[in-house]
Each structure stands twice: as C-alpha cells, then as structure tokens.
Amino acid sequence: MIEHSLSLCYHNKLILAPMVRVGTLPMRLLALDYGADIVYCEELIDLKMLQCKRVVNEVLSTVDFVAPDDRVVFRTCKREQSRVVFQMGGMGAALLSDPDKIEKILSTLVKGTRRPVTCKIRILPSLEDTLSLVKRIERTGIAAVAVHGRKREERPQHPVSCEAIRAIAETLSIPVIANGGSHDHIQEYLDIEDFRQATAASSVMVARAAMWNPSIFLKEGLRPLEEVMQKYIRYAVQYENHYTNTKYCLCQMLREQLESPQGRLLHAAQSSQEICEAFGLGAFYEEMTQELNARRAEFLARTPEAAGEPAEDTSGIIKMAVKFDRRAYSPQITPKMCLLEWCRREKLAQPVYDTVQRPLDRLFCSVVTVAEQKYQSTLWDKSKKLAEQAAAIVCLRSRGLPEGRLGEESPSLHKRKREAPDQDPGGPRAQEPAVPGKLCKKPFVALGSGEESPLEGW
C-alpha cells in the first residue's frame, strides 16, 4: 500500500488511518476538527486516478477528481490541503510477498515526485524477514513507514504485536508510524500516547477507534456520539457526500445501537434528507439545500455557458419549479406511470424524455414531449430518473391530471398482468414497456492542464 503524501512531518502526530469507504471528506474534516494532525483519504486505485479529470467545483468550494463515467472518485477542499495524504493502492498486503516490486515502486515514486512518499505495511511471519524488508524500504528514500502490527492473514480480533513495531522503530532512522491498536490498546485519547510509547513509534495512526468516534483525537476526551454524528452529517450535506456513504459511516459509529429507534430510522433512510430527519436536522438540510441552490444560480448567472441548457429554443416549453419526492406518492405509482397511462387512453404517442446533465454540478434536467408540447421543471435533480419524474409532474399538473400522490384519486391506474396471446381483446391489455428517452450526455468541466498528473497543482 503506497501513500503519496504532502510536505508533512511524521514526528509526534495523530493520524487518521486510510479506511475503505470511511476516509471520505466529511470524516477527514471531522477528524481534523477533533485534533488529528494528518488524515489519509480512502484508498484510490492509481489507474482510476490517472483516468480522472481535475474539476474545480465552485459551488462546494472543492476540487473533485472525476472519472470518465462522471463519478467523483475523490473530493478535497482547501482546508485539508496541507494535511491530507493521497493513498494509492490496489494490491495492498499482497505486495509483501514481492519485496523487489515494493522497492522498484517506491524508488520510482521518490525519484518522480517532489512530494514525500510514505508506505504502509503489515509484519511478515518472521521478525527477521520483516526487518530485512523495512531496511530495503528505507533505502528507497521514503519519508516514513507505517506499520500495522499484524500479519497479512490476521484480523482485528488477533492481538497487535507492539514488540514487532518497536523492533522496526529501533532499527530504522526514518519515522515509524504505529497502527493496529484500536480496541485492545486505544479506547480514549490518553491511550494513543501509551500505544506510541509501547511501540517506540514516532507517531500513531488510528483506524477503527476513529471510525467509531472521531473525537478520539480530542485531548479533552470523547464527545457524546449523538453530537459527533450530527456534526458529521452537517459536513456530509455541506459537501454533498453521497447518502449511501454517509449512511455507511454513521452505521459504523452506531455499532450496537443499530437496533435502537434512531438506528432503525437510519437503516430505513434512502436519501440525505431522510438521514437528516432521522437525527433532527431536517431544518438544517432545507437551509443548506437552499444555500447551495443559490450558489449554483449565482455561478450560472456569472457563467451562462456552464448551464448546460438544451440548445434548442425553449420559449415554447411549459415550466414549473417542482421536484419528485418519492414519499409523497403511492408505493407503486409514479408521475411517469400516470402520464403514460393517460397518453394511452387518449391514443397519443408515448411521452418522450430528453435529459441533459449540467457540467458544473452534474445535476440533471429533463424535458418531456407530449402531444407536441414540451414540459420541464426548472429545478435540477441528482439523477436522470428524478429529473424525468419532475418533468412528468409539470405535464400532469399543467393539464390538471392526477399524478399519483398519496390521497389523490387515480382509479384508472392499476398494475396490469401481461396479456396472453389468445386473450379476449376486450379484456385488460398488457402493460407495454415505455420507450426510453434519449441517453443523456454526461460532460464535465475539466480544468486540468495538458497531460499533467491529476495530482499536480493540487
């Protein structure tokens, strides 16, 4: 596991360890708030990063690394600029069996970048082999080495070897970062220093204990979990962290409380808004959403070319400011279904959806055509499906038609069984599949320079 680090000192530091799915921007900022000196990001596969474009997100005040499929692979902000470590990996502990490759990779990185390079390893079956490996690693010129005091096949329930880490620290002249002490050794702030002394390490890297409660880095002691989780959620909303990642991290914090009433609400949440409501932050979500929308509107007013509006003349489009909220509709009825059913009854062509994605924030807007009239919501959505539902709502409301909302009478819309070949033509017809709209294009604004690495100029 290789880390591409910034100009950092690795003596007497509290470090948030790299963790799959956990080390996203909200968790890193939270750890810094509570006293972490250095934060490692989630594992980034080097090949994926090379394929990314560096995008300045002026709405969120972040720098995003965006994959060809428009997925944000990594998001960072100015506040953590000098304290975050890019962790490049993909092979993990498997490299331990190939010391020649380790040495070659590290030597190439050290010679090829102006920034310090560190690496993180596990111990080998024998102490002699482990010391031989770390000596070869040190000769490559790296700035520090992090050591997880367990063997490759060992899991968290196995005891961490403080003795092995101490032997490495006493052998090398570069800083050694001790890792693996969560639970058995580290349960509160004072335990971090005890673990450092037990391993004779220069610094300590904390993983699971920080995942459970990031205030482990706070000198004054752990903060109440409810307070920590609410602070995490605020960062997640502010930086538009995907709700599935937010939900996963909160579940790791709740642990044995997942069966509590709040835990069940979290488990049932299917959006950032529902997560906020589960923790009493519904008003905050509304305020932050309005603020972010205002920032987008201001940015688009300054830079109309970033709007990504359809190229055609939109003067004849009927527009409304509406969004589709799944909770307001019957479980198996959507506005698109209602609109399709109405078109069939009226013997009209099926609705045609034309959806575009805005480069600035990768939000979607859809225009639906029904009977040669176009309809569009002026509010942009986070997915193509939501944007199409919003366009269908505009059409239905402008025509005074039912749209499937709870409590609304819509007697003609029922789920239909597929018609058998010899079925009476007068009986119920089969539900015909809707013709999909055009595939939306997914452009993004790339602000990189030439063929530079995505990390250059960060």
Side-chain angles (χ1 to χ4, degrees):
M1 188 181 297
I2 314 300
E3 287 94 30
H4 182 93
S5 51
L6 304 181
S7 301
L8 304 166
C9 172
Y10 289 95
H11 291 281
N12 298 316
K13 299 297 182 183
L14 302 179
I15 303 172
L16 176 69
M19 289 178 280
V20 176
R21 297 184 67 184
V22 175
T24 46
L25 182 58
M27 182 64 77
R28 300 197 304 270
L29 293 178
L30 198 57
L32 291 173
D33 283 348
Y34 287 126
D37 300 297
I38 300 169
V39 289
Y40 278 61
C41 70
E42 68 274 29
E43 183 177 288
L44 304 172
I45 308 302
D46 49 1
L47 180 59
K48 290 183 179 179
M49 284 297 289
L50 288 173
Q51 295 172 342
C52 286
K53 296 291 184 181
R54 183 176 181 272
V55 178
V56 175
N57 189 325
E58 295 198 30
V59 174
L60 301 181
S61 300
T62 61
V63 173
D64 301 342
F65 293 90
V66 183
D69 62 0
D70 252 9
R71 182 174 52 88
V72 177
V73 174
F74 178 71
R75 171 168 288 162
T76 185
C77 66
K78 188 174 182 179
R79 184 182 156 212
E80 65 169 3
Q81 184 171 348
S82 61
R83 301 164 76 181
V84 65
V85 177
F86 295 92
Q87 180 202 338
M88 311 303 291
M91 290 174 283
L95 272 177
L96 290 173
S97 60
D98 195 343
D100 292 336
K101 182 177 286 189
I102 294 175
E103 187 173 358
K104 183 177 180 181
I105 291 174
L106 291 174
S107 298
T108 302
L109 283 172
V110 170
K111 293 174 183 176
T113 181
R114 301 184 302 273
R115 296 188 169 99
V117 174
T118 66
C119 79
K120 180 171 176 283
I121 66 167
R122 284 187 173 230
I123 59 177
L124 298 174
S126 76
L127 181 59
E128 181 182 0
D129 289 341
T130 302
L131 294 179
S132 175
L133 174 63
V134 295
K135 288 176 184 177
R136 292 184 67 174
I137 289 174
E138 182 180 35
R139 286 196 294 268
T140 65
I142 65 170
V145 58
V147 180
H148 185 151
R150 292 184 178 87
K151 299 181 181 69
R152 173 179 171 181
E153 68 278 2
E154 290 182 328
R155 304 269 67 85
Q157 63 268 25
H158 296 99
V160 63
S161 176
C162 294
E163 297 76 14
I165 301 176
R166 172 178 284 275
I168 294 170
E170 292 172 347
T171 299
L172 303 183
S173 58
I174 60 174
V176 171
I177 305 167
N179 175 234
S182 292
H183 192 271
D184 291 342
H185 293 268
I186 301 174
Q187 298 183 31
E188 58 182 8
Y189 176 83
L190 294 176
D191 297 335
I192 298 177
E193 176 60 19
D194 292 341
F195 183 59
R196 190 191 70 79
Q197 293 186 10
T199 57
S202 300
S203 297
V204 174
M205 176 181 283
V206 185
R208 288 177 300 139
M211 176 179 69
W212 297 328
N213 190 330
S215 67
I216 190 76
F217 297 112
L218 195 62
K219 290 182 180 180
E220 294 76 15
L222 291 168
R223 299 301 303 161
L225 188 59
E226 178 80 10
E227 173 188 315
V228 174
M229 296 176 79
Q230 287 195 355
K231 193 170 183 179
Y232 172 85
I233 293 170
R234 289 175 182 272
Y235 275 135
V237 174
Q238 179 182 347
Y239 290 102
E240 294 190 340
N241 197 50
H242 196 279
Y243 87 91
T244 56
N245 180 260
T246 300
K247 183 175 176 178
Y248 175 83
C249 293
L250 292 171
C251 286
Q252 303 311 306
M253 295 185 203
L254 274 178
R255 301 171 69 197
E256 65 273 4
Q257 299 180 44
L258 279 173
E259 294 303 318
S260 67
Q262 190 171 62
R264 288 195 290 270
L265 285 174
L266 174 63
H267 187 268
Q270 294 299 312
S271 67
S272 293
Q273 182 177 3
E274 292 181 14
I275 291 174
C276 286
E277 291 170 351
F279 287 84
L281 294 173
F284 167 78
Y285 177 85
E286 295 295 338
E287 292 171 5
M288 182 55 63
T289 300
Q290 291 176 10
E291 180 180 334
L292 293 176
N293 287 338
R295 289 186 202 170
R296 287 190 180 93
E298 180 184 358
F299 177 80
L300 294 173
R302 297 197 315 267
T303 55
E305 67 278 3
E309 294 280 0
E312 63 180 314
D313 176 24
T314 62
S315 58
I317 298 180
I318 296 176
K319 299 182 181 181
M320 295 181 187
V322 299
K323 280 201 171 189
F324 172 67
D325 184 352
R326 172 76 268 184
R327 297 170 297 176
Y329 292 82
S330 301
Q332 299 191 10
I333 299 177
T334 66
K336 287 183 67 175
M337 292 169 61
C338 292
L339 182 56
L340 177 62
E341 178 73 10
W342 180 81
C343 288
R344 286 174 172 165
R345 288 202 314 269
E346 298 298 317
K347 295 182 169 46
L348 297 173
Q350 292 187 10
V352 177
Y353 296 87
D354 186 12
T355 307
V356 296
Q357 188 177 35
R358 188 163 60 191
L360 166 68
D361 48 20
R362 297 177 302 283
L363 294 181
F364 294 83
C365 180
S366 186
V367 176
V368 62
T369 302
V370 176
E372 299 184 355
Q373 175 63 59
K374 298 179 184 295
Y375 304 85
Q376 172 191 351
S377 171
T378 57
L379 303 180
W380 292 67
D381 259 302
K382 293 184 178 180
S383 76
K384 180 176 180 287
K385 290 181 179 180
L386 291 176
E388 291 178 353
Q389 295 288 1
I393 291 173
V394 175
C395 178
L396 292 165
R397 290 185 184 178
S398 66
R399 290 178 173 270
L401 300 171
E403 58 190 75
R405 293 180 68 88
L406 291 171
E408 185 180 67
E409 291 187 10
S410 183
S412 62
L413 186 62
H414 301 285
K415 297 205 74 176
R416 300 177 173 184
K417 296 181 181 179
R418 185 172 297 276
E419 181 181 357
D422 57 347
Q423 185 173 341
D424 180 1
R429 296 181 304 168
Q431 177 74 35
E432 298 174 8
V435 175
K438 298 178 184 177
L439 288 176
C440 63
K441 297 180 181 178
K442 298 183 178 180
F444 46 76
V445 182
L447 300 180
S449 54
E451 297 181 355
E452 287 186 354
S453 162
L455 296 180
E456 293 302 323
W458 180 87

